[in-house]
Amino acid sequence: MTVPAMRRAGHTMHVATALANPLTLAIALPAAAVFLGGSGDPAGPHPHLALVGLVDLRAAGALLVGALPVIAVLRRRPPHIPDRLYAWTYVALLAAVAVAMVL
């Protein structure tokens, strides 16, 4: 809810989304600690899975290795996205997440 609040305060989408990440950290760190420390063995008969809590380390590593080149390229040449399009895309993403959670 930080992005809509900052939009109402008059910030652009670029600024609102950039400032929302550090604000979300206060919620994400304790939640991640609980999630990673969670008990249970979802792997069951698959002992070859490298899990920390419920996180597959090999999948997380693959995502990171695939994302790093994209991050490097986009930091040097970020695409110009009009603020209005950025705002509507953000709303569409929130709606898609809400639909996925309901289904």
Side-chain angles (χ1 to χ4, degrees):
M1 296 311 297
T2 54
V3 172
M6 284 191 237
R7 287 288 290 168
R8 285 183 177 239
H11 295 291
T12 64
M13 278 300 291
H14 182 75
V15 171
T17 53
L19 291 177
N21 291 332
L23 292 173
T24 306
L25 193 62
I27 296 169
L29 283 179
V34 169
F35 184 75
L36 292 173
S39 62
D41 188 17
H46 304 290
H48 64 278
L49 291 176
L51 297 177
V52 173
L54 298 173
V55 177
D56 183 353
L57 291 180
R58 289 188 294 170
L63 286 171
L64 179 64
V65 168
L68 288 177
V70 175
I71 292 169
V73 169
L74 291 179
R75 284 193 65 161
R76 288 182 183 15
R77 299 195 55 137
H80 176 70
I81 302 172
D83 194 58
R84 191 170 191 82
L85 176 65
Y86 198 173
W88 279 108
T89 304
Y90 186 82
V91 170
L93 177 64
L94 289 177
V97 169
V99 168
M101 288 173 45
V102 169
L103 298 177

